[in-house]
Amino acid sequence: MTKILTKHFDEATLHELATYERLGGYQGLKKALAMAPADVTAEVVKSNLRGLGGAGFPTGAKWGTVPPTDKVPGPRYVVVNCDESEPGCFKDRVLVTRAPHQLIEGLLIAAHAVGARQTFIFIRGEYQNQYDVLARAVAEAAAAGHAKHASIDLMRGAGAYISGLDTALLETMEGKKAWPRQPPPFPTVAGLMGQPTVVNNVETLSMLPFILREGGEAFAKIGSAKNGGTVVFSVSGHVEKPGVYEVPMGTKLRDVLALAGGVRGGRKLKCVIPGGTSMPPLMEKDLDLALDFDAIRAAGTFLGAGGMIVLDETADAVEVAHNIERFLAHESCGQCTPCREGSFWNEEILHRMLHGKATAEDAPNLARIGENITGKVICALGDTVGMVTRAYLQRFPEDFKKRVSSNG
Amino acid sequence: MSAFTPEQEKVLVAWTKRYPYPNMGLVEALRSVQEWHRCVTPAAAARVAELFELPFSRVWGVATFFPSFTTKPTGRHRVGLCHGLSCSLAGSDKMETCLEETLGTKAFETSADGKLSWEPMECLGACEQGPALLVNDRLQGQATPDKIAKLKELK
């Protein structure tokens, strides 16, 4: 299967500049710097690259919304979102550890395309090992003269999941509580300190060297319609071989599971969370689904950031929903009342259900609370609070019923 | 008297100058404070506010928003055990019991000598090696009874 980002992962010293350059590294940047910025963006539009941090927004189109300097004067920024925190996702950690220069080259290409002279890599504080790898690689790239057109600086977060949402990330960078902003304006128009700012995920930016080197069309051809290139799934849970697996967009769920060795111990599959725990699960009937942003959307869930958690028949939907809602209640920033209160009550109710105190009203109450959150809050975390438990209720009603009848 | 040594004050001032705008260094500055004091006290936040020329309420709001900052001292070694979904499926509850029994402290409590504290943490981005163990923001891979026993040997 075609690989782009993980193609050279068997090279032990890929994280070093010399190895990366020997394998064609920084050729994409060289090509980009010889092009007009608008032509670089056009190439990325052609590639059908979508934002791999979760939203799936076309990257070239996003860059295209950065206003010209005569409309909005002052600096432009590019910020790398390396605040990977969605439960089930660990591909950014692996990409940064193994191929930091791939990210840095992509970042420098993006900076040229949108006219940014300053760029930042925002990395979660718990990734101190990865921070060290990046700091060293950034210094190497600068010393080699690759970063003459744009500076790169690093900044760490402080343990809040919500900082991974672009506007909350910018608030964190500005030294504020990570409260999401209500767009519009979107960050590309008014982002960091009010200036046009492109926030892109690690995996998205890491695709750019290939796109510039081989051309947007070559990248688009690898994937499916409107979903260019590959996607790196982080696979964990009840599988034989958890790990990262890069596959072309449009690869069947069945084939991704096979790469991870299938369901552990030959057990029966219960469901698969496709993109991180905020995404409703896919079911056994979806095994032949060709995974890309649009197909997964049509199946009623989201590709998200490709954090695939496999659950076998031993998993209990109430336990799973409780784990997810506990996480969301902990991470709700508290800005919107429906999310702050709803996540708290969802966790309370599910906790009671787990501890032998379920009532017949619990399931309808969970559904009702959910309906009153999704669509009534600023950010995607809140939407998730309402969506996730309802998804498990709808797919596994028997697991919830069992809790009521087993109270005796 | 300042909450900080002269050397620490220099580090904090450096954070006000590192990025294009002084306030952009605030979260990193508070990370430094947490590292030195193992917590962020109101007195420390007040001094940070002076150095950043920000209202105390702004700095204290940030200090009490982010989970990395604590109002009471953590251990000199702060241990995290992931209890996200994948790590939970991999038995994080058993490793929580192991931490409690081996270190002799409950979650969020610090040992009497101030050396160690442990706490369950949200997804640490290491789902393929769950239950994931973190020590002072560095991933240590899968938590095992052996690894947890070795935590006591940390200086």
Side-chain angles (χ1 to χ4, degrees):
Chain A
M1 255 189 268
T2 310
K3 288 178 182 172
I4 295 172
L5 302 186
T6 62
K7 190 179 172 192
H8 298 300
F9 269 26
D10 50 353
E11 293 274 346
T13 56
L14 183 60
H15 58 285
E16 289 171 10
L17 181 68
T19 307
Y20 183 67
E21 286 188 329
R22 177 167 58 77
L23 296 163
Y26 289 102
Q27 291 304 313
L29 174 64
K30 203 173 154 194
K31 236 171 139 179
L33 290 176
M35 293 160 71
D39 293 341
V40 176
T41 302
E43 204 60 39
V44 175
V45 168
K46 233 189 284 173
S47 76
N48 287 338
L49 174 64
R50 307 269 290 259
L52 295 158
F57 194 81
T59 306
K62 187 184 206 173
W63 293 0
T65 62
V66 174
T69 40
D70 56 351
K71 280 215 179 111
V72 181
R76 274 90 183 100
Y77 301 112
V78 179
V79 174
V80 182
N81 186 343
C82 187
D83 193 54
E84 180 173 62
S85 318
E86 174 71 27
C89 300
F90 49 90
K91 44 102 181 170
D92 290 346
R93 190 197 88 233
V94 175
L95 290 172
V96 159
T97 311
R98 302 299 314 282
H101 284 288
Q102 193 166 242
L103 168 64
I104 292 166
E105 185 182 359
L107 172 60
L108 291 167
I109 292 169
H112 176 63
V114 303
R117 308 274 306 159
Q118 285 172 308
T119 72
F120 303 93
I121 302 175
F122 184 89
I123 182 164
R124 67 179 299 189
E126 295 85 350
Y127 279 3
Q128 189 60 46
N129 291 332
Q130 286 65 39
Y131 180 94
D132 294 346
V133 170
L134 277 173
R136 185 167 170 266
V138 165
E140 267 188 321
H146 292 309
K148 282 180 190 144
H149 62 296
S151 66
I152 305 172
D153 207 349
L154 278 76
M155 188 187 287
R156 287 167 298 183
Y161 165 73
I162 194 62
S163 292
L165 184 98
D166 56 0
T167 58
L169 186 154
L170 296 172
E171 291 285 300
T172 310
M173 287 186 73
E174 292 180 10
K176 298 179 196 154
K177 289 181 284 190
W179 277 14
R181 298 174 186 166
Q182 173 77 74
F186 288 91
T188 47
V189 176
L192 186 62
M193 302 306 290
Q195 288 303 121
T197 305
V198 169
V199 183
N200 278 150
N201 168 257
V202 168
E203 189 182 352
T204 312
L205 289 167
S206 296
M207 294 290 183
L208 296 171
F210 177 94
I211 292 170
L212 269 291
R213 211 171 54 234
E214 312 284 335
E217 269 169 34
F219 186 84
K221 226 192 284 173
I222 292 168
S224 52
K226 293 182 189 163
N227 290 260
T230 58
V231 54
V232 181
F233 281 105
S234 316
V235 187
S236 67
H238 295 149
V239 286
E240 290 287 348
K241 292 189 292 177
V244 293
Y245 296 96
E246 182 180 17
V247 295
M249 283 283 189
T251 301
K252 283 182 182 174
L253 174 57
R254 183 188 300 284
D255 296 333
V256 179
L257 289 188
L259 286 174
V263 181
R264 63 151 193 200
R267 287 204 181 91
K268 208 170 157 293
L269 180 73
K270 185 175 182 108
C271 61
V272 179
I273 297 169
T277 58
S278 297
M279 322 301 153
L282 293 167
M283 307 295 282
E284 192 160 18
K285 66 172 172 56
D286 301 313
L287 278 173
D288 286 312
L289 191 69
L291 302 176
D292 67 25
F293 282 106
D294 305 314
I296 296 184
R297 186 86 192 249
T301 179
F302 304 93
L303 174 59
M308 191 177 274
I309 303 180
V310 178
L311 299 168
D312 71 19
E313 57 191 328
T314 64
D316 173 75
V318 179
E319 277 180 34
V320 171
H322 173 260
N323 184 288
I324 300 172
E325 289 285 355
R326 191 214 59 225
F327 167 76
L328 294 166
H330 184 264
E331 300 300 338
S332 174
C333 78
Q335 185 175 202
C336 308
T337 308
C339 168
R340 185 186 65 232
E341 301 300 316
S343 60
F344 170 83
W345 281 108
N346 277 357
E347 185 198 351
E348 285 282 305
I349 293 170
L350 289 162
H351 186 266
R352 265 199 289 116
M353 295 186 93
L354 282 182
H355 292 84
K357 289 176 182 161
T359 70
E361 289 81 49
D362 284 343
N365 272 338
L366 286 168
R368 189 175 51 83
I369 292 169
E371 282 160 20
N372 282 303
I373 305 171
T374 305
K376 299 175 173 71
V377 289
I378 290 174
C379 86
L381 190 159
D383 286 338
T384 298
V385 170
M387 181 177 68
V388 158
T389 297
R390 276 189 294 162
Y392 285 93
L393 268 170
Q394 186 244 328
R395 286 163 175 76
F396 306 104
E398 65 283 4
D399 284 12
F400 288 81
K401 271 186 206 132
K402 230 180 341 193
R403 292 285 170 176
V404 181
S405 52
S406 67
N407 285 339
Chain B
M1 209 181 88
S2 170
F4 304 108
T5 66
E7 291 73 26
Q8 290 171 342
E9 292 251 332
K10 271 185 210 153
V11 173
L12 294 173
V13 169
W15 282 125
T16 68
K17 295 180 175 157
R18 161 90 175 243
Y19 300 106
Y21 298 87
N23 51 319
M24 283 179 67
L26 182 60
V27 170
E28 282 281 8
L30 290 172
R31 287 185 62 90
S32 294
V33 175
Q34 177 74 33
E35 198 183 316
W36 300 327
H37 295 174
R38 304 288 158 203
C39 63
V40 181
T41 60
R47 181 61 186 147
V48 170
E50 280 173 13
L51 292 170
F52 276 79
E53 296 181 27
L54 289 168
F56 170 77
S57 59
R58 161 84 172 268
V59 176
W60 190 241
V62 172
T64 52
F65 179 88
F66 289 96
S68 296
F69 308 136
T70 58
T71 50
K72 284 184 187 146
T74 66
R76 287 196 301 284
H77 299 288
R78 187 177 182 182
V79 178
L81 184 77
C82 182
H83 66 169
L85 183 56
S86 296
C87 289
S88 170
L89 294 172
S92 61
D93 55 339
K94 288 188 190 75
M95 288 301 113
E96 284 188 21
T97 310
C98 182
L99 276 162
E100 190 173 322
E101 285 171 358
T102 310
L103 305 185
T105 52
K106 289 200 162 64
F108 299 103
E109 282 180 6
T110 302
S111 60
D113 59 3
K115 189 164 89 174
L116 283 162
S117 63
W118 74 273
E119 59 197 275
M121 286 186 177
E122 300 306 340
C123 186
L124 295 173
C127 319
E128 84 281 33
Q129 41 193 306
L133 188 71
L134 185 87
V135 180
N136 300 328
D137 283 335
R138 291 182 188 277
L139 284 170
Q140 307 293 323
Q142 188 176 29
T144 60
D146 277 357
K147 264 187 212 169
I148 289 172
K150 286 214 173 83
L151 293 172
K152 295 177 82 170
E153 293 166 20
L154 290 168
K155 296 289 167 206

